[in-house]
Amino acid sequence: MDRTLAILKPDCVQNNKIGHVLQHLLDAGFKIVGMKMVKLTKETAGEFYAVHKERPFYAELVDFMTESRIVPIALERENAVTELRKVIGATDPAEAEEGTVRKLYAESKGRNIIHASDSNENAAIELSFFFSSRELIDNM
Ligand code: IDP
Ligand code: MG
């Protein structure tokens, strides 16, 4: 079993889609092994997305991610990273496949409902950004 990080972004929380997206992830075979609601500061959002610092959309991304609370979720299943990327669809909902979370619920390339780690290495880094190892102890 592998783990990955999903984040339900501010648009998901604002538009009351938390329940819909969570059910979609559960139906896709993911087990929720950690979940919380947090509000990022500009500093913490900037740190989380530091890899995109030089990109033209960085400031917009940091502003968006700090608009309201978000829901980081630690997810577990076989091939979790690859499978979650498939389930959420392309970054731009206009290019996402039918039935994916972003196709169903996202409004634009920037406001795209959900984040998912893009490699096992980044999943480990990103999970530790929001969850302590004690919070993710396997107790089931
Ligand atoms: P990903 O979330 O599908 O992995 P990334 O390329 O890693 O996509 O970009 C991180 C986030 O930055 C995206 O999910 C989206 O919210 C935002 N973003 C990416 N490209 C653009 C853009 O061209 N305009 C505005 N926001 C963007
Ligand atoms: Mg990414």
Side-chain angles (χ1 to χ4, degrees):
M1 285 295 174
D2 302 313
R3 286 176 176 182
T4 190
L5 178 79
I7 303 175
L8 307 186
K9 295 184 176 184
D11 54 339
C12 187
V13 176
Q14 291 160 11
N15 298 331
N16 293 329
K17 296 300 177 198
I18 294 176
H20 292 81
V21 176
L22 274 182
Q23 191 60 53
H24 196 109
L25 301 179
L26 294 168
D27 290 345
F30 290 92
K31 182 164 112 181
I32 297 170
V33 296
M35 183 160 67
K36 54 180 67 168
M37 183 173 256
V38 299
K39 174 89 160 54
L40 295 179
T41 62
K42 301 270 183 231
E43 195 173 41
T44 47
E47 193 187 327
F48 183 79
Y49 279 114
V51 62
H52 295 307
K53 212 172 212 146
E54 308 305 327
R55 311 280 282 276
F57 57 81
Y58 179 70
E60 181 188 333
L61 177 58
V62 169
D63 280 350
F64 167 53
M65 290 300 289
T66 55
E67 262 181 31
S68 63
R69 284 175 275 199
I70 61 170
V71 181
I73 311 167
L75 292 170
E76 191 172 271
R77 67 158 282 172
E78 270 172 39
N79 301 317
V81 170
T82 310
E83 292 303 320
L84 184 62
R85 295 295 307 198
K86 271 193 224 164
V87 163
I88 73 170
T91 307
D92 185 345
E95 290 165 17
E97 277 187 46
E98 291 299 328
T100 59
V101 171
R102 282 167 167 169
K103 184 70 171 189
L104 286 166
Y105 301 114
E107 65 194 53
S108 68
K109 193 173 186 183
R111 305 178 75 86
N112 60 3
I113 283 283
I114 188 167
H115 167 87
S117 307
D118 63 5
S119 67
N120 284 324
E121 191 192 0
N122 284 336
I125 294 167
E126 292 180 359
L127 283 164
S128 69
F129 195 92
F130 291 104
F131 299 97
S132 69
S133 53
R134 201 188 317 146
E135 287 174 305
L136 296 182
I137 282 172
D138 192 359
N139 57 359
M140 305 193 50

